[in-house]
Amino acid sequence: MSRFKNEVLHLQAHVKTLRLAGGALFFVALLLGLGWWSAPRSLTIHVPPDLRSGSTRKWWDVPPESVYAFSFYIWQQAQRWPTNGEEDYPRNLKALGAYLTPSCRAFLQQDFEFRRGNGELRQRVRGIYEIPGRGYGDDPSARVRTVSVNNWIVTLDVSADEYLGSEQVKRALVRYALKVVRSDVDPERNPFGLALDCYAHAPERIEIPPPPALPGRPSSASAPLQGDTP
C-alpha cells in the first residue's frame, strides 16, 4: 500500500508543479501583452536624403541634414505672404503652430503686430529663398550646430523679397540663426518631431561678393539692400 500511496503523492506534487508553471506562464503572457499594448504604434525615423550608400541610424537620432531641411521648409512657409501680408502672416502662424514653440509663436505674433503698426504688411507680397552656394551641402558644419541630442542651431542664408503690387520694395540678404528643439508632443500634427524656437540671435544683413567678371565684360554691382527689417 505504501508504494501506491507514494505514487499518488508523487502525481499530486507533479500536478501542483504543473499548475504553478501554468500560472507563471499566464503571468508572463499578461506582462508581454501589457508591454505590447503600451508600445508605440509608429516611430519617426529620420533617413538622410542621400541614399546612394547605406545608413545605420538609431531611431531617436535626428541627422543634421534633416534638421536643416525642416528648419528651412518651416521658416520659408512662415515668411511667405502670397497675396496680402496683413492676412497671410497671422494665417501662417496659425497653420504652422504645431511646428513652433509657444515662446516662438508669441514672439512672431509680436513681430506681426509691430509690422502691421508700421504699415509693412498691407498688400505686401513676400517670399524668401536660399542663396545659391549658401545651402547645407556647401558647408554642413557651418549650417547646423548640434548643441545637444535635443537642441540645434541652424544658420540660413536667404534672400527676402517683398513686393507692393508690381513694384519690388525690398530685397534683403539675411542670415537667420534659428534654434530647433525636439518636440514629440503631437505626432498627428507634427510628424517631424521638431519645433522652431525662433532666433538664437538677431538676424544679420549679409553681402554676397559679386561673381568674377567674364573676360571682356565689366563686373556688375550687387543690388542695394532696402527696408529696415529683414
Side-chain angles (χ1 to χ4, degrees), residues 47-55:
V47 180
D50 188 356
L51 300 179
R52 290 175 295 179
S53 60
S55 176

Side-chain angles (χ1 to χ4, degrees), residues 174-195:
V174 189
R175 173 168 293 165
Y176 293 109
L178 303 176
K179 293 185 290 183
V180 183
V181 299
R182 191 187 296 269
S183 178
D184 290 327
V185 297
D186 193 351
E188 187 67 26
R189 298 181 59 205
N190 181 357
F192 294 98
L194 302 171

